[in-house]
Amino acid sequence: SPWAKSTIIQQSFVQIATGTNTALISNTNQLYMIGLNSNGQLGDGTTISRSYATQIGTSSWSTVSSSNGSHTLGLTTDGKLYAWGLNVYSQLGLSDTINRSSPVQVGSSSWTNVYAGINYSMALRTDNTVWGWGETTKGNLGYNTPLIWNTISASTGIHNDYTLWTWGDNSLGQLGISSTQYRSSPVQVGTVSWTTVYSTTSNSYAIKSDGTLWSWGYNAYGGLGDNTIASKSSPVQTIAGGNNWKQVSAGVQGFTGAIKTDGTLWMWGDNNYGELGVNSTSPKSYPVQTSAGGNTWKQVSTSGGANYYTMAVKTDGTLWGWGRNLGGMLGINTTNGRSSPVQVGAATNWSLISLGWYNVAAIKTDGTLWSWGNNAYGQLGIGNTTHYSSPKQVGALTTWASSTAGQSHTLAIKTDGTLWSWGYNGAGNLGLGNTIDRKSTRLNSSHEWISRMPS
C-alpha cells in the first residue's frame, strides 16, 4: 500500500536543505544525505549516489547548506564548521583544491550560519563577521566584511542598522550601486533604512522603512515598474508609488506582483500570457491593479520555470489564478489561459499553495491536500498519470500541514511531521531508495521522515 508507513527507523527532522542533493538534520542532531554524489558531496566517504537517506558520521549537527555546485557545508552544535565535496575552487576552505568525500573541519573558529553557493562558500562567525572563500571571478565572496549583520544570503546582506549591502556579479546592475562593475566587497545601497529585500539572479526589489518599493537590475520587460524598459544600476521607485507596500514576488522574464498594506494587489512586467491579471496581454512597465480589484488580497505567488502564471489567496480564503494554463495549472476546469483573476472553484478555505512548473499543490484549512495540472509523472499524487484542470483531493486524510510542488515531483508534510513524496524519481528525487516514479503519496522506504515546520 502506498500509504503504509516504514517500520524500520523513525526519525524526526528539524531542517531540510537542497542543492544537487538533499540534506536533513534530525531532532537528535544527526545528519542524513540523499542524491547525487559524483564529487563526494554526500559526505559518506564514497562517490556513489544514494536514492535513500544515508547517515553522515556520528557528530551532533545544527545547520547544513547544500550547494548546487556539488559541495556541502555543515555546523556542529558546538559551532565547528565542516566542508565536503567538490573543491576545484578551494570552496571547502581547506587551503587546497582536493575534493573531500567526508566532512573535514574548516579552521578552529566558532560559527553560527553557513551558505554554500556555486563554487564558493560564506559563513557567519560568532562575532557577527561574514567570511567567504572559493571562486572569486565575480567578487561573490565579499572580502573584508567586518560588519555586524542581521541576515545574509547570496551576495546580499542587511546590516543591524538596516542598511543594505550587496556584492558580486553586477553585469546587469543588479547590485544597485550606479555601475555595472562587480564588487568583491560589500557596497552600501543608498543611505536609507531598508526592511525587506527580494533578489533574483538579475534584479532586486526592496522595501524601505517608510514603506516605499524600489527596484534595480534587469528591466527588458518592464519588471522594475518604473515605466521604462531600460535596466537600472541604482534603485528606482515604482511609478505607482505609495508608502504602504508589504509583499513582493518576482516571476520569470521580469513579471512582478506585490501587495500593499491596504490589501490591494498590483502587477507589472512581461504579460504575454496574461500573467499580470489586468485583462490584457500587453506588458506593463508600471504597477497596475489587477482587474479583479478589491482590497482583500493576502498573498501572491508568481511561477518559476517558463510558465508565466500567477495565483493568489484572499483574506476570505478564496483562491484565484491567471496567466498561462498549459496543463490546467490554474485549476479552473479548462486549459485556456486567463488574463484576469478567476476564482478556483467555490471553496473559501484555502490556506497554503505552492506553484510548480506545470502543477499546483494546495492545502485547505481543514487539513485536506489538493493538486491539479500536468500529471505526466504522477506528480499530482492521485494514483494515475491523468492531467486534471480542476483541484483533485489527494487521498482522504485531513492531516496535511504543508506542501511543495517542484518541476515534476511533489513533497508534503503531515501534521504528525511525516514527509511524503511522489512523482518523478529518475535521480532518486523522492528519497525512496530507488528511481521508480510514484503516482501516489509514499513514505521513504528506509526511514519514516518527520520534518518539524516553523510555528
Side-chain angles (χ1 to χ4, degrees), residues 42 47 85 119 128 225 243 251 271 280-281 284 348 366 430 440 444:
L42 295 188
T47 54
N119 300 329
N128 289 322
N243 59 355
N271 196 29
S280 79
T281 55
K284 305 295 181 183
T348 59
D366 61 5
L430 304 184
S440 300
N444 180 279

Side-chain angles (χ1 to χ4, degrees), residues 347-392:
T348 59
N349 61 341
W350 295 102
S351 176
L352 299 171
I353 185 167
S354 176
L355 307 189
W357 277 37
Y358 297 102
N359 65 287
V360 178
I363 295 174
K364 292 184 176 180
T365 55
D366 61 5
T368 55
L369 175 62
W370 299 73
S371 61
W372 59 92
N374 186 281
N375 197 28
Y377 295 95
Q379 58 263 50
L380 300 188
I382 54 180
N384 59 43
T385 55
T386 303
H387 308 317
Y388 291 94
S389 58
S390 59
K392 297 294 180 182

Side-chain angles (χ1 to χ4, degrees), residues 211-234:
T212 55
L213 176 60
W214 299 71
S215 56
W216 56 92
Y218 182 70
N219 194 33
Y221 297 91
L224 298 186
D226 68 334
N227 202 26
T228 77
I229 55 173
S231 297
K232 300 296 189 298
S233 60
S234 58

